[in-house]
Amino acid sequence: MLTVIIALTAAGLALALATQIGVTLIQRAFPPQGRMIEVAGARLHIVELGPRDAAGPPVVILHGASSNLRAMRPLGDRIAKTRRVILIDRPGHGWSTRERVADSTPVIQGRMIMEALTRLGIDRAIVVAHSWAGALGLRIALDHPDRVAGLVLLAPVAYPWRGGAGRYNDVISTPLIGPLLAHTITLPLGYLVANSGSRGVFAPQEMPDDFVSDSATLLLLRPREFIANARDLVTLKAAVVEQAPRYAEIKAQVTIIAGDIDKTVSTRIHSRPLAATAPNAKLIVMPGVGHMVQYAVPDLVASEVEAVAGKLVQPAAAKDKTAPANL
């Protein structure tokens, strides 16, 4: 028995050491690309693209679960040809940190992001949000309506679903056991399945060959981020249960783009009911498309962002025409 305990302890220490070495190597391979902004309870990593003096409100792009801002960078580069773009690592993800792992809900993360935008001098923005961040974008529109010029939601989570967030996320969110696993086996095992897991999220579309490296997906395997991501997923269902009854209050233009065969976030459960509830909603369902709509139809996503921005300019132009001339 003593021999078994010694062997298990030695294996655990070896895995913990391998994890620490792995974290160091991953962070060297994928350093931060932008600037850090301190907000209450977090330190957010932000990348700014495009002309700072571009006409119209900036476009803020928010990534989903198990991800970071680099996964949204190709879309950001496309939109930044004509607009100022702000890419944000959500609190606890990528190079953003958060003081409390419990600060996992859209309401808390929305407050942090709005504080960061204030520090950047941004009063209003068009918010583009994918997957998990769909619930975050909706929450921002509910809590900060005057600061959301429009929403473009990509395969968004919006409503409660049957089941939970996965057994492994439940375990990782458990005190003591979760951190023990995250600091020992998560990184080695995750490294082995990173490519296959990412391909599954893209299905039925093909994953770009260099997606895992270009998106710095391996940053997720660091213990502190893996735990934060699990907590985000475990608490999301209760969060949308609380906020979903208020979606009819959203006054901003909402454009929803989803795939009809999304196996990760059901369009039937989320996007279609949201489009029927939000007063100013437009729904685009793409046939044969899965969860990663920003990669499957990037031109469409960019054009819909431009369409939302264009609708904001038209009322202002009409108001200017009716204003009395200076005498």
Side-chain angles (χ1 to χ4, degrees):
M1 184 64 180
L2 180 60
T3 302
V4 172
I5 293 175
I6 292 173
L8 290 175
T9 301
L13 290 174
L15 287 169
L17 178 60
T19 294
Q20 290 305 307
I21 294 172
V23 167
T24 300
L25 294 175
I26 287 170
Q27 294 191 151
R28 286 179 180 174
F30 306 109
Q33 297 181 325
R35 59 186 289 194
M36 309 301 295
I37 295 182
E38 301 283 346
V39 300
R43 189 167 184 255
L44 301 187
H45 176 228
I46 291 177
V47 171
E48 297 189 59
L49 305 172
R52 293 179 62 88
D53 59 350
V59 177
V60 174
I61 302 182
L62 304 173
H63 64 85
S66 307
S67 186
N68 63 76
L69 66 79
R70 292 198 194 196
M72 306 299 285
R73 181 68 186 258
L75 177 63
D77 287 334
R78 189 177 297 258
I79 297 171
K81 293 176 182 178
T82 57
R83 303 206 170 270
R84 183 184 181 189
V85 172
I86 312 295
L87 294 164
I88 302 178
D89 275 335
R90 289 194 295 104
H93 296 259
W95 284 97
S96 291
T97 61
R98 65 191 195 216
E99 294 175 6
R100 301 194 316 148
V101 71
D103 287 344
S104 58
T105 61
V107 62
I108 296 175
Q109 294 191 26
R111 172 185 57 74
M112 293 173 173
I113 289 167
M114 286 297 101
E115 183 179 344
L117 294 181
T118 297
R119 292 182 179 275
L120 289 172
I122 297 173
D123 294 326
R124 297 179 77 230
I126 296 171
V127 177
V128 179
H130 177 239
S131 194
W132 191 102
L136 173 58
L138 290 164
R139 187 72 206 203
I140 291 172
L142 288 170
D143 292 347
H144 311 275
D146 295 338
R147 303 193 61 183
V148 176
L151 283 176
V152 178
L153 305 178
L154 313 175
V157 175
Y159 291 92
W161 60 94
R162 180 176 298 178
R167 180 59 180 165
Y168 196 69
N169 289 311
D170 290 334
V171 173
I172 292 296
S173 297
T174 303
L176 299 179
I177 297 176
L180 176 61
L181 294 176
H183 284 84
T184 53
I185 66 171
T186 294
L187 192 149
L189 290 179
Y191 186 81
L192 295 175
V193 302
N195 276 283
S196 61
S198 296
R199 282 196 296 270
V201 176
F202 272 87
Q205 278 69 52
E206 290 291 327
M207 181 183 75
D209 291 339
D210 298 325
F211 174 77
V212 171
S213 58
D214 289 346
S215 64
T217 295
L218 296 182
L219 288 173
L220 170 67
L221 302 180
R222 297 171 298 168
R224 64 94 172 160
E225 182 172 352
F226 202 85
I227 293 170
N229 185 67
R231 183 69 178 176
D232 286 359
L233 290 167
V234 167
T235 58
L236 180 59
K237 186 174 182 178
V240 293
V241 166
E242 189 272 331
Q243 71 184 41
R246 297 181 56 201
Y247 291 155
E249 301 173 17
I250 296 175
K251 303 305 181 186
Q253 171 70 39
V254 181
T255 299
I256 308 159
I257 307 174
D260 68 339
I261 50 177
D262 187 340
K263 301 301 183 182
T264 303
V265 176
S266 168
T267 297
R268 176 183 60 83
I269 293 173
H270 300 276
S271 293
R272 292 190 184 279
L274 177 61
T277 302
N280 300 306
K282 172 184 178 181
L283 174 63
I284 301 172
V285 179
M286 299 302 298
V289 171
H291 188 57
M292 299 295 277
V293 292
Q294 66 271 33
Y295 284 85
V297 287
D299 290 336
L300 172 66
V301 174
S303 67
E304 288 301 322
V305 172
E306 286 297 322
V308 170
K311 290 180 180 179
L312 298 173
V313 173
Q314 291 171 5
K319 182 177 180 181
D320 290 343
K321 289 181 180 180
T322 59
N326 292 326
L327 301 178

